[in-house]
Amino acid sequence: MQEDSSTPIEAIDPASLHKRPPGAPAGHARPTRNLLVGLAFIVLAGCMVLVFLVLPEFVGEKPVPPPAESEPARTLPRPAKPVPQVATKSEPTSPDAPTLSEQELHALRLEAESLLLEVIEKQEALRQQGVRLWAAGEFDRAAANGQAGDEALRTLAYAEAIRQYAQAVHTLQQLEKQVGPVLAEQLSLGEQALGRNQGETALRHFELAKAIDPNNRQAKDGLQRTRTIQELFSILETGGNLEAAGRLQEAAKAYRQAVELDPLSHEARDALERVSDRLKHAQFTQLIAHGYALLETRQFQDAREAFGAAGKLLPDSKQPAQGLAKVDKAVRDDMIESLKVEAEHFEDQQEWTLAGQSWQQLLTLAPDAAFALEGAARAQLRATLLARLEGYIQAPQRLGSVHVANEARALLDDIAVLEGRPGSRILGKVSALKEMLMLANRPVPIALQSDNQTDVTLLRVARLGRFQHHEVLLKPGRYTLIGSRPGYRDVRKTLEVTLGMESGSFSIHCEETI
């Protein structure tokens, strides 16, 4: 076991500091009580520091040696009771006294004492951070400077004490700056050793890191992980063999077990992530293939769900979107074909309005489909012609008007020159309209009766005068007759001549007196 090689700072005899060197000023020969108390405190602190356990230097990956044996604590001598001071020739004299004033010497002494306290504080802090495990040489050099400073302070050589203490402080400050980097390095080396399955090496690095920072979480975790490193790598090896054999589900199970054993293991997490990614890609490929198989059998909804599930597995892949686009196209093509069959069926049934609606729906899916454009135009024209024919046929009395009759004849002419077959339904309406036009132009004999006292007028036709019997020829249509007689209320009646009438009779005369 290596012991602490630094030379402890010996206690300074306070009584010797009270003696006045020969030829020294009176004020200097009798140091103040504050100086005695201060030096006693300093020496006591120095002795307490040196009793802590010290560990040997830690270098590279050498095994961490056991802690050094505690150095026996030195007892600070109690100050002697004040006695009259008598100057002798053997008492020390400050080498700075001949050239410095009492105030300047006092300032140097205070500065030396301040530096001494700083040395003691930094030494203690660094010991708590295991400095002798990672920088024993530098720490010993600082201790040597401190010891030299102590010796100079005993002989009242304040300037030399300040120089030595300042050098010690500088060295200790440099060591303080190394604490963080050394800690980080040891933690990194420990992690690397864990990754190489070097449990003992990792243990040494993490123990050193914990000596530097006893509360460091990573160091504590690292020490804990060194206990399971062998089992961890055994599980990882099993998982690797399963993965190489293509048994990905079993490999994933092994890797999950490894992660549960050591959640901080990068190797375990990376392995689980890798095999999980392989499983995800395998499932993705299976879903894409299944989606296309469903598409071939026109199971569009199931195919859409398969491609959608694949897209959730690998959002960055373009294949699911391409599959969905093909599903959409297949659905659209299917609807187009269905609407085409439907429109052609309605055309066969000469349901031109329904056929036109089907063609229009098809055009919303395929706006540039030439066959749909032609079908829509064909159906719309025939639906319009049929509607106009039915309009004349359902109101035949309008054909009695020359204007309306001319429009009907023009419609018949348009149908006659229509490209393609108009259909039997339209042709039947054409025949009916032609017959109606013929009947509308054939006068119908109407026999009128009156009392020979009533003056009868047929509006927009002629004034018939008084009569008992009168016959007129009227084309189909609606007519108004007005009868008038002095002393009687006028009579107004409507006469309707319909198509196909062979003849008719009508009576009109005034009966109500005024």
Side-chain angles (χ1 to χ4, degrees):
M1 180 179 295
Q2 182 178 350
E3 297 183 356
D4 189 349
S5 60
S6 62
T7 304
I9 300 174
E10 297 180 358
I12 299 174
D13 184 3
S16 67
L17 298 177
H18 286 281
K19 298 179 181 181
R20 181 179 54 162
H28 177 67
R30 290 190 292 270
T32 63
R33 181 178 297 275
N34 290 337
L35 175 59
L36 286 172
V37 176
L39 290 176
F41 169 74
I42 293 169
V43 174
L44 175 61
C47 292
M48 292 176 65
V49 168
L50 297 176
V51 302
F52 282 94
L53 299 177
V54 179
L55 299 176
E57 179 181 2
F58 183 89
V59 180
E61 296 185 354
K62 296 179 180 179
V64 178
E69 296 180 357
S70 302
E71 182 180 354
R74 298 174 182 264
T75 304
L76 180 69
R78 295 180 178 275
K81 294 183 179 180
V83 295
Q85 302 297 316
V86 179
T88 63
K89 292 183 179 181
S90 61
E91 291 178 349
T93 301
S94 172
D96 305 316
T99 60
L100 298 176
S101 66
E102 180 181 353
Q103 291 78 9
E104 291 172 329
L105 287 171
H106 181 67
L108 287 174
R109 176 176 58 78
L110 291 179
E111 182 178 357
E113 292 172 354
S114 175
L115 287 171
L116 173 58
L117 285 175
E118 187 173 359
V119 169
I120 293 173
E121 291 173 356
K122 291 184 180 299
Q123 283 180 323
E124 176 59 21
L126 286 167
R127 284 194 182 95
Q128 295 295 327
Q129 294 170 322
V131 66
R132 296 197 59 80
L133 297 175
W134 49 272
E138 291 88 340
F139 188 73
D140 287 345
R141 283 194 293 274
N145 287 126
Q147 190 175 22
D150 294 341
E151 187 65 28
L153 187 61
R154 288 191 185 92
T155 61
L156 308 183
Y158 300 130
E160 176 61 16
I162 290 172
R163 188 182 70 80
Q164 293 292 342
Y165 287 147
Q167 181 60 44
V169 168
H170 175 75
T171 302
L172 295 173
Q173 287 175 338
Q174 297 302 312
L175 290 175
E176 287 177 333
K177 293 179 181 179
Q178 296 177 36
V179 171
V182 170
L183 175 61
E185 180 185 21
Q186 293 304 314
L187 291 173
S188 176
L189 291 173
E191 294 291 345
Q192 294 175 23
L194 285 177
R196 295 190 295 267
N197 193 16
Q198 298 172 348
E200 293 183 1
T201 301
L203 178 65
R204 290 197 298 273
H205 289 301
F206 285 126
E207 283 182 341
L208 177 54
K210 191 171 183 294
I212 297 173
D213 182 5
N215 297 318
N216 186 273
R217 183 74 262 170
Q218 187 177 354
K220 292 180 178 180
D221 291 340
L223 289 172
Q224 177 66 29
R225 294 172 62 198
T226 59
R227 301 186 182 98
T228 59
I229 189 66
Q230 294 296 331
E231 183 181 358
L232 173 70
F233 271 82
S234 176
I235 296 173
L236 290 177
E237 183 179 2
T238 300
N241 293 334
L242 292 170
E243 183 180 358
R247 298 159 64 180
L248 301 183
Q249 293 287 354
E250 297 175 67
K253 182 178 179 181
Y255 291 146
R256 276 193 291 270
Q257 182 181 356
V259 171
E260 291 173 1
L261 179 64
D262 186 357
L264 299 178
S265 170
H266 295 291
E267 294 77 10
R269 292 202 306 269
D270 291 346
L272 179 57
E273 182 178 353
R274 181 182 64 252
V275 77
S276 297
D277 190 63
R278 290 186 61 185
L279 282 170
K280 185 192 300 183
H281 278 79
Q283 185 179 3
F284 173 84
T285 302
Q286 183 179 5
L287 283 171
I288 292 295
H290 185 54
Y292 280 110
L294 292 169
L295 182 60
E296 288 293 327
T297 57
R298 308 184 72 78
Q299 300 179 60
F300 300 131
Q301 184 58 36
D302 292 340
R304 195 185 302 278
E305 292 176 359
F307 289 128
K312 292 179 181 178
L313 285 176
L314 297 178
D316 295 333
S317 175
K318 297 180 180 179
Q319 293 186 57
Q322 293 170 349
L324 288 172
K326 291 184 178 181
V327 171
D328 291 338
K329 183 179 183 302
V331 170
R332 184 172 60 253
D333 292 345
D334 191 63
M335 291 181 65
I336 288 173
E337 183 62 26
S338 177
L339 287 170
K340 180 181 178 183
V341 171
E342 181 180 86
E344 291 174 346
H345 169 74
F346 286 135
E347 285 192 359
D348 292 340
Q349 299 297 318
Q350 300 184 50
E351 295 288 346
W352 301 110
T353 300
L354 295 176
Q357 292 174 356
S358 297
W359 287 123
Q360 288 298 329
Q361 291 179 22
L362 194 155
L363 285 172
T364 61
L365 300 174
D368 299 329
F371 69 91
L373 291 170
E374 294 174 1
R378 180 173 61 250
Q380 183 178 2
L381 176 59
R382 282 158 176 74
T384 301
L385 294 175
L386 187 59
R388 290 180 64 189
L389 287 170
E390 290 178 344
Y392 291 125
I393 293 172
Q394 291 174 3
Q397 67 278 4
R398 295 175 58 237
L399 296 175
S401 168
V402 175
H403 177 69
V404 174
N406 288 337
E407 287 181 348
R409 292 188 181 95
L411 175 60
L412 294 175
D413 292 339
D414 291 339
I415 294 173
V417 297
L418 182 66
E419 292 184 4
R421 296 179 54 193
S424 59
R425 188 176 177 187
I426 290 178
L427 293 177
K429 300 293 182 182
V430 167
S431 298
L433 180 56
K434 287 180 177 180
E435 184 177 355
M436 286 181 179
L437 284 172
M438 182 184 66
L439 293 174
N441 289 316
R442 188 179 70 179
V444 177
I446 302 298
L448 300 176
Q449 289 84 31
S450 186
D451 57 4
N452 207 26
Q453 301 294 322
T454 300
D455 194 2
V456 179
T457 301
L458 184 60
L459 290 181
R460 294 196 302 271
V461 177
R463 185 171 179 271
L464 304 179
R466 299 175 182 178
F467 58 85
Q468 284 186 340
H469 299 281
H470 188 80
E471 186 175 295
V472 293
L473 294 175
L474 298 175
K475 292 181 179 181
R478 182 171 293 183
Y479 300 89
T480 301
L481 291 100
I482 299 176
S484 61
R485 178 181 177 184
Y488 289 81
R489 192 178 300 281
D490 289 349
V491 177
R492 186 183 185 93
K493 290 187 175 183
T494 299
L495 170 63
E496 186 171 359
V497 179
T498 61
L499 292 177
M501 286 181 61
E502 296 295 331
S503 62
S505 62
F506 195 78
S507 174
I508 182 172
H509 53 83
C510 296
E511 296 177 339
E512 185 180 353
T513 59
I514 300 174

